[in-house]
Amino acid sequence: MAVLASLSCEPGLAQTEGELIIAIDSDVVLEPDAVEQAVAAFRNDPNLAAATAHLIIDRNLLVQADTQGRLLVDQTDMPLNAPLSFMQHFLAAAQFMEYLQAFRIGRHAEAARGQLFTLSGACGIFRREALTAVGQYHGRTVSEDTDLTFALLRRGFKLGYLPQVRVHLAPTISWRALYAQRVRWQRGELEVLAVHTDLVTQVSRSRGSNMLIRLWRDHTLAMMRLVWLLLLPLFHC
């Protein structure tokens, strides 16, 4: 019923035969029932064409390795967690809070209003016919996930958010890498806006919302959303 494919190997999408395609990043970890939950959601809603999963920042995915890149394990053959400095722990906790707000509140609200505009590239679920209709992922922007989402919106497909499909990913724990990530997101926003300028205007007028402002808030202000850093002392992390 469902086929997994990593976005790092896009030609594999052309070889899939399932009715549903779950496209994931190669470094994420699906919870044991994630695929089952995704299939059930699409069976229960025949009109649902594509959906984004719920992403969880998980510092337990930061593990130790030797100089050859081999994982270090304990006596039970479980990977050893990487030791984190105070600042690394702080960054991981901030991103956990950021993603919790962005998905459990942000994506949920957007999907409920029918205004979801980014199917996360870390884990997106698609009906084959919808993905085929828009030509799958394109390399014309660095935000292939947002570009693909806009292409689906252009065709009038129903998009959703599935909080029961839970996916874990490791946090970015250096300021340099975090800054580079957010700059890439901003660049991707500009490129997507350039490709889909007409759709941004169309959606804004027809649904009474400003898609441009929402994109700007979600991507351009992505670094500022780490205001959670200032609030973390109030939480036990």
Side-chain angles (χ1 to χ4, degrees), residues 171-183:
T172 300
I173 56 173
S174 80
W175 283 106
R176 181 184 297 274
L178 187 63
Y179 179 77
Q181 178 192 68
R182 303 311 164 104
V183 168

Side-chain angles (χ1 to χ4, degrees), residues 89-108:
H89 177 86
F90 206 51
L91 284 175
Q95 289 168 76
F96 174 83
M97 298 296 295
E98 177 193 13
Y99 272 64
L100 180 64
Q101 182 278 330
F103 282 84
R104 198 63 185 90
I105 300 175
R107 295 290 188 274
H108 203 162

Side-chain angles (χ1 to χ4, degrees), residues 7 117-119 121 137-150 181-193 195-196 215 219:
L7 295 187
F117 65 89
T118 298
L119 297 168
Y137 287 91
H138 297 284
R140 56 192 175 188
T141 76
V142 297
S143 292
E144 297 96 337
D145 50 359
T146 305
D147 184 18
L148 175 61
T149 306
F150 272 55
Q181 178 192 68
R182 303 311 164 104
V183 168
R184 185 175 71 252
W185 288 2
Q186 293 177 34
R187 173 188 167 186
E189 172 204 337
L190 294 175
E191 292 175 344
V192 170
L193 288 175
V195 172
H196 298 284
L215 270 174
H219 289 81

Side-chain angles (χ1 to χ4, degrees), residues 63-64 71-81:
V63 296
Q64 298 184 51
L71 292 180
L72 299 180
V73 298
D74 60 20
Q75 294 179 346
T76 62
D77 287 333
M78 293 298 294
L80 293 173
N81 291 120

